[in-house]
Amino acid sequence: MKVKQIEWNSEDYKKALELRDKVLRQPLGMSIYDDPLEAEKKDLHIVVMEETQIIGVCFYRSIDQETMQMKQVAVDPSFQRRHIGREMFIQSIQKLKQRQVKTIMVHARENALGFYQKLGFEECGEPFYEVGIRHHLLKYNL
């Protein structure tokens, strides 16, 4: 298992989109390809590889100089419950510290709340709905 940064619109990015679509959009009857993907050009894209297969993905978007939002965290269902998401987050922290990031925000789906809380995220707002699903606003201080 290897965690690495990828470039927007690269071949690995396209594979990561397939995983995001499979895990995050198709179950909702939606398509990732309807999202404004051009807006992801300047984001920090992270994947977890198992040989040549992308098994985990997330990206980080700047909110301000010291804050980034972690978005679209997905792990291939056949690799879930193996600490892939945890490892991806832990290794991402080093890249974020290099960018002088102090706070990570996330819109956590209700069913992923426990995962984020175990990582040390804290709730910082009222629940809300996004893509038709209840979410929680969480933050993590580096």
Side-chain angles (χ1 to χ4, degrees), residues 5 10 32 35 52 79 102-103 110 114 121 123 127 129 133:
Q5 182 177 340
S10 65
I32 197 76
D35 287 6
T52 61
F79 288 89
K102 305 276 189 248
T103 305
E110 185 94 22
F121 280 84
E123 282 200 66
Y129 284 83
I133 297 175

Side-chain angles (χ1 to χ4, degrees), residues 60 66 73 79 104 116:
Y60 293 86
E66 295 184 339
V73 179
F79 288 89
I104 303 169
Y116 291 106

Side-chain angles (χ1 to χ4, degrees), residues 10-37:
S10 65
E11 286 305 310
D12 282 340
Y13 173 81
K14 292 171 185 173
K15 290 177 188 176
L17 278 180
E18 291 174 13
L19 179 59
R20 286 167 49 194
D21 191 51
K22 173 183 167 182
V23 174
L24 301 172
R25 292 295 186 261
Q26 288 178 11
L28 303 176
M30 302 169 82
S31 171
I32 197 76
Y33 303 101
D34 293 333
D35 287 6
L37 300 175

